[in-house]
Amino acid sequence: MLRKGCRKLWLSWRPYTGSVPQSPDSELRVPPQSEKGLHTPVMLKEVLHCLDIQPGQVVLDLTFGAGGHSKAILQSVPGVTVVAADRDPLAFQLAQHLAQEYPGQVKAVLGRFSELDNLLPALGLGPGGVDAALLDAGCSSMQMDTAERGFSLSKDGPLDMRMDGDRYPDMPCATDVVNALDQQALVSVLAAYGEERHTRKIAVAIAQARSVYPIGRTLQLASIVAGAFPASALFARRDRLQRPSHVATKTFQALRIFVNDELNELHAGLRTAQTLLRPKGRLCVLTFHSLEDRLTKRFIRGEDLAEPPRLSVRQRAKARREAVEEEGEEDEESKEEKGQEGAYWVIPQKKVMKPSEEEVQENPRARSAKLRTAVRR
């Protein structure tokens, strides 16, 4: 969830109202990739296997996106009903199109995770009304590939990053963040949501640049962040495929998460799935960075997310050794294993699933994906 300090910032600050460069074509549109069906759903075989959907069941796709997972479910399981939810108006349009292809089998819902408690009852969905749920967290390829949405640092566009598009005109966008937050607030956002080490260096560069001219374009911000580092460091970082990674990558991640309140929304989505799933219903969660995965893991384990995370594996092992040595508590390890599952969930597979090397080579955006599955008690 949002760190307490950052959450307070998110609730209290006001949008920047100055003039910024605008895109000549700011209207949202579906990118050609999704129109041609070239969107590649991540870990599709693993998701279908873990959801274990049976004919005639009800499936909740909490993040429809371009619809890759939902389409595969409809094609592979006869008589299934898919509730396709998303906060992005473009994803909602695609879900409506899919509903026309599968009459009576697809119910499209436009809304954030935190809004679904008020939206889903109108579809007849209440506690225990869902057999399986999928949550594909983070930013979709459709959003990343559309320059006008402002998510990508490799495509020039307005610095927007709002997953809701223009649904909430008064909702602050990334331009507001970089132009309105003070330097210390920027440091907090970059550290909390980008896990960036050079927060002060980047915050100073942003503050200096905006004092001359407002920051309103993606490549403009990427250039400002890059200017805070020596030229040799521009692509010195490496991703999980050992490919060069731009020094502004974590900055863009942090702004996106902050603007969309993603961690609190993820928590709301997990709570919704927990409420709607029937006993023995299955939940699959795909995450793409450590903040999402850590929150998901703690939720399934039943931890209080308002409290600090539990000890690491190494710290727990050390504590067990000390307990055995000092008090002879030989069953401490079995107690620890029992503590891995919460009151609401059974974890069928302790080890998190990751994409195969073949999938990562074919779809590099899958490289950081993690899949966790839980069964409702």
Side-chain angles (χ1 to χ4, degrees):
M1 293 189 294
L2 279 177
R3 306 284 176 85
K4 290 183 179 179
C6 291
R7 176 62 172 166
K8 187 175 181 181
L9 281 172
W10 194 89
L11 290 171
S12 63
W13 59 288
R14 295 292 182 268
Y16 176 76
T17 57
S19 173
V20 297
Q22 298 295 317
S23 167
D25 179 17
S26 60
E27 182 180 355
L28 299 181
R29 64 173 185 269
V30 179
Q33 292 91 325
S34 56
E35 290 177 344
K36 296 177 182 178
L38 298 181
H39 170 74
T40 305
V42 174
M43 299 183 70
L44 179 58
K45 293 180 180 179
E46 293 86 346
V47 166
L48 294 177
H49 173 75
C50 292
L51 286 175
D52 191 26
I53 303 166
Q54 302 301 312
Q57 289 189 334
V58 177
V59 181
L60 175 60
D61 186 346
L62 286 156
T63 43
F64 180 79
H69 290 104
S70 285
K71 290 176 186 176
I73 291 170
L74 290 163
Q75 292 169 357
S76 60
V77 186
V80 69
T81 298
V82 173
V83 179
D86 206 292
R87 67 190 290 179
D88 191 325
L90 293 183
F92 177 65
Q93 291 176 19
L94 292 175
Q96 289 178 313
H97 293 160
L98 188 63
Q100 295 174 359
E101 294 180 34
Y102 293 86
Q105 287 187 260
V106 178
K107 299 178 180 180
V109 181
L110 176 62
R112 305 175 184 178
F113 296 146
S114 57
E115 298 171 330
L116 294 181
D117 286 346
N118 296 323
L119 297 173
L120 295 181
L123 302 178
L125 289 180
V130 171
D131 299 287
L134 170 64
L135 199 163
D136 187 350
C139 188
S140 72
S141 296
M142 183 173 64
Q143 292 165 336
M144 291 292 294
D145 291 337
T146 307
E148 292 82 1
R149 302 298 299 272
F151 288 95
S152 174
L153 60 78
S154 62
K155 296 177 171 64
D156 189 39
L159 191 59
D160 193 326
M161 298 193 187
R162 293 173 299 169
M163 290 180 173
D164 300 274
D166 291 326
R167 286 182 64 213
Y168 303 102
D170 295 332
M171 175 184 173
C173 64
T175 291
D176 302 316
V177 178
V178 297
N179 287 290
L181 290 190
D182 63 41
Q183 192 170 306
Q184 185 54 48
L186 284 172
V187 168
S188 298
V189 169
L190 295 175
Y193 306 123
E195 298 180 301
E196 172 62 65
R197 292 181 298 169
H198 305 286
T199 55
R200 296 195 180 280
K201 183 183 295 186
I202 295 171
V204 167
I206 290 174
Q208 291 177 342
R210 72 189 185 190
S211 68
V212 178
Y213 193 75
I215 303 170
R217 307 287 295 183
T218 53
L219 292 189
Q220 180 188 7
L221 176 61
S223 177
I224 290 167
V225 174
F229 297 85
S232 59
L234 183 58
F235 286 99
R237 294 178 177 179
R238 300 277 171 173
D239 64 18
R240 295 191 180 187
L241 295 179
Q242 293 304 305
R243 302 179 308 177
S245 177
H246 197 284
V247 292
T249 299
K250 292 184 176 181
T251 298
F252 273 64
Q253 173 187 302
L255 293 174
R256 191 201 81 211
I257 293 173
F258 182 71
V259 165
N260 295 288
D261 196 18
E262 287 183 36
L263 298 187
N264 280 303
E265 286 295 323
L266 174 56
H267 187 209
L270 292 170
R271 290 199 311 268
T272 296
Q274 182 171 280
T275 299
L276 295 179
L277 279 170
R278 63 169 175 80
K280 296 187 179 180
R282 302 175 76 87
L283 168 68
C284 282
V285 183
L286 275 167
T287 60
F288 292 86
H289 57 74
S290 59
L291 296 175
E292 294 172 341
D293 181 61
R294 197 152 50 233
L295 188 153
T296 301
K297 178 171 62 176
R298 295 183 65 197
F299 179 86
I300 292 172
R301 289 179 175 179
E303 293 185 31
D304 183 355
L305 299 184
E307 297 295 326
R310 292 178 179 175
L311 299 177
S312 67
V313 174
R314 182 175 297 178
Q315 290 170 326
R316 292 199 302 269
K318 181 180 179 181
R320 283 200 300 269
R321 287 196 301 269
E322 292 175 351
V324 171
E325 292 172 359
E326 295 178 9
E327 302 178 14
E329 297 180 6
E330 297 179 359
D331 62 337
E332 189 69 23
E333 185 170 353
S334 63
K335 291 180 183 178
E336 182 67 33
E337 286 300 316
K338 290 180 182 179
Q340 299 302 302
E341 295 181 348
Y344 295 98
W345 301 100
V346 175
I347 306 175
Q349 185 169 320
K350 304 294 182 184
K351 190 174 181 180
V352 66
M353 299 179 69
K354 298 180 181 179
S356 65
E357 292 184 6
E358 292 77 12
E359 178 175 3
V360 172
Q361 291 300 322
E362 294 177 3
N363 181 19
R365 287 181 177 171
R367 63 189 180 277
S368 58
K370 292 183 179 180
L371 175 63
R372 293 189 182 273
T373 304
V375 180
R376 188 72 161 86
R377 289 187 185 276

